[in-house]
Amino acid sequence: MGIVLKLGMNWPDGSQWQTVWAVFQGLLLEAIPFLLIGVAIATAARAWDPRGRWLQRLPRHPLLGPLSGAALGFALPACECGNVPVARRLLAQGAPMGASLGFLFAAPVLNPIVLLSTWAAFPDRPWLLLLRPLGSVVIALVLTTLLQQLSEAALLAPDLLEERRMGQPLATASLLDRRSGLIGNQPLSTTPAIAAERPSMGVLLDHGLREFLELGSLLLLGCGIAATIQTLIPRDLFLAVGQAPTLSVLSLMLLAVVVSVCSSVDAFLALGFAAMVTPGALLAFLLLGPVIDLKSISLFSRIFRRRGILLMLAGVVVAVLLIGQWLNLVLL
Amino acid sequence: MNWLPPFVLGLWGAVLLQAWGSGRLNLLLQADFHWLVLVSGLLLLALAGLAARFAPKRRSGRTPALVMLLAAPLVLSG
């Protein structure tokens, strides 16, 4: 509340809470179908390749790994809500870290739906259609390199780490690492271990259902926070800095985090204020939102430990700021 | 199996179908996304039925289901 008063705003009245409620419902109803798509893809991957043999063959090369993961976005189209369960499944099945993270960070932009919507919203700005996917790949490479500086144990959420190690050969992860319960430790995960054979439909449904409910409950939290903050802070405040090269990039980055709009429609939202801001700020808005926003940040707790989330946040903010600044230097 | 998760899944299917059928979506969401809400609602109902019939008996991870259970009527009420 103190922050609200310092920003010169009043504590929300009845009508503002109605706005918060409407925004919350809008965000949630937009995100749930994509979450369902993501969980469905993850469940299909579990059914098709229960031991992760195919996924483990993705490139481990520091450059080719993230690039191959990013390219998966074209085959598995999902926005930032839907790609969290898919990336989590890739990691759980033992896919190389670089490829999984490349998918997580680049797929929300590098998919046909998002590229088509960007083109539909900005047919007069071909540079945007080129720089958005390109920037997204650069960000994926930066974040993948950065996060891989941490060990898997320091980076991944405990239950995901356990599931990932169950799928890795003993040469890579010992019985102690696996915490399988065989040598005294209780298993951390509530999900059943990866089956040697193809899991039955019942097991698949059970796993998919629980994953949907777990991520859905986190999504509720994220949508609630995003709806409250974007109602309390008027959007005009973010656009007030207009043509200031650095400030406009920073404020549009903040706007992208706050509005938490799905990457498949964010270009249409950006169309409304594109003429008022610098090109770098516009690109920054379209690059940052698909990686991180208030709605999706809670979902990342299913993949990363807190240290990983903080490192990812710092990395993406610096990378997007530099890309936005570079574009302003070139075009202004 | 624990009845709660399939019930909550079905309830959210009903929430999405109610939002689509009542016209509330016109105020909340771009028209291009309305069909996604409809399909997702139908899919969630179907999956809830299948899960209730085929999923194995297991009693764990109830908290997310309870959170979603409490939130569903609120969203349903509009």
Side-chain angles (χ1 to χ4, degrees), chain B residues 49-64:
Chain B
L50 287 171
R53 172 75 182 80
F54 293 108
K57 289 180 166 42
R58 205 157 62 83
R59 297 178 66 84
S60 59
R62 296 180 70 176
T63 311

Side-chain angles (χ1 to χ4, degrees), chain A residues 292-306:
Chain A
I292 191 81
D293 58 38
L294 287 175
K295 178 185 67 181
S296 64
I297 196 163
S298 53
L299 298 179
F300 280 105
S301 65
R302 292 278 293 142
I303 295 184
F304 299 127
R305 286 177 185 269
R306 191 179 303 167

Side-chain angles (χ1 to χ4, degrees), chain A residues 2-326:
Chain A
I3 295 170
V4 173
L5 293 175
K6 274 182 187 174
L7 284 170
M9 288 169 281
N10 297 317
W11 186 247
D13 54 25
S15 68
Q16 276 184 308
W17 282 120
Q18 283 178 0
T19 308
V20 170
W21 184 236
V23 173
F24 169 76
Q25 290 184 77
L27 288 173
L28 195 63
L29 291 172
E30 181 187 70
I32 281 184
F34 287 102
L35 182 64
L36 187 61
I37 291 171
V39 172
I41 293 172
T43 306
R46 191 182 172 92
W48 174 58
D49 188 18
R51 303 279 302 189
R53 288 194 180 112
W54 184 85
L55 295 173
Q56 286 167 18
R57 283 186 206 148
L58 286 168
R60 293 180 185 278
H61 188 273
L63 187 64
L64 290 180
L67 289 179
S68 64
L72 276 178
F74 285 100
L76 310 170
C79 75
E80 64 268 26
C81 301
N83 79 331
V84 169
V86 180
R88 192 180 184 283
R89 179 56 28 205
L90 291 176
L91 287 164
Q93 302 283 80
M97 184 68 84
S100 308
L101 296 183
F103 174 82
L104 177 66
F105 298 125
V109 169
L110 282 186
N111 74 64
I113 298 168
V114 175
L115 293 179
L116 273 174
S117 73
T118 308
W119 178 71
F122 295 102
D124 55 334
R125 299 184 199 214
W127 56 266
L128 199 58
L129 194 62
L130 179 72
L131 289 182
R132 191 178 190 194
L134 210 60
S136 176
V137 170
V138 170
I139 289 167
L141 285 171
V142 168
L143 291 183
T144 303
T145 308
L146 195 63
L147 292 179
Q148 283 188 296
Q149 303 309 308
L150 296 178
S151 67
E152 287 192 6
L155 176 64
L156 297 179
D159 56 344
L160 172 59
L161 181 69
E162 182 196 334
E163 208 177 340
R164 179 171 171 81
R165 285 183 167 166
M166 288 297 286
Q168 287 174 329
L170 274 175
T172 319
S174 69
L175 283 174
L176 266 173
D177 286 332
R178 286 181 170 187
R179 290 177 58 84
S180 61
L182 292 173
I183 46 176
N185 284 320
Q186 288 296 317
L188 290 173
S189 175
T190 57
T191 54
I194 295 170
E197 301 300 328
R198 190 158 293 201
S200 69
M201 188 172 83
V203 169
L204 285 172
L205 276 170
D206 182 49
H207 185 272
L209 184 157
R210 283 165 199 279
E211 184 151 43
F212 178 80
L213 292 179
E214 280 176 17
L215 290 171
S217 60
L218 293 171
L219 193 63
L220 284 174
L221 177 72
C223 289
I225 294 170
T228 307
I229 292 182
Q230 69 173 277
T231 307
L232 292 181
I233 305 176
R235 209 169 280 181
D236 295 348
L237 207 65
F238 296 104
L239 302 174
V241 286
Q243 299 295 318
T246 307
L247 271 181
S248 67
V249 175
L250 281 171
S251 76
L252 266 279
M253 285 168 65
L254 199 56
L255 181 65
V257 172
V258 168
V259 294
S260 300
V261 70
C262 173
S263 60
S264 50
V265 288
D266 59 358
F268 293 105
L269 177 68
L271 188 58
F273 53 74
M276 292 184 266
V277 298
T278 60
L282 182 61
L283 182 63
F285 177 85
L286 294 174
L287 286 178
L288 186 64
V291 177
I292 191 81
D293 58 38
L294 287 175
K295 178 185 67 181
S296 64
I297 196 163
S298 53
L299 298 179
F300 280 105
S301 65
R302 292 278 293 142
I303 295 184
F304 299 127
R305 286 177 185 269
R306 191 179 303 167
R307 195 193 304 180
I309 295 177
L310 290 175
L311 191 59
M312 180 193 82
L313 269 175
V316 72
V317 165
V318 172
V320 172
L321 180 61
L322 288 176
I323 292 173
Q325 289 278 56
W326 166 79

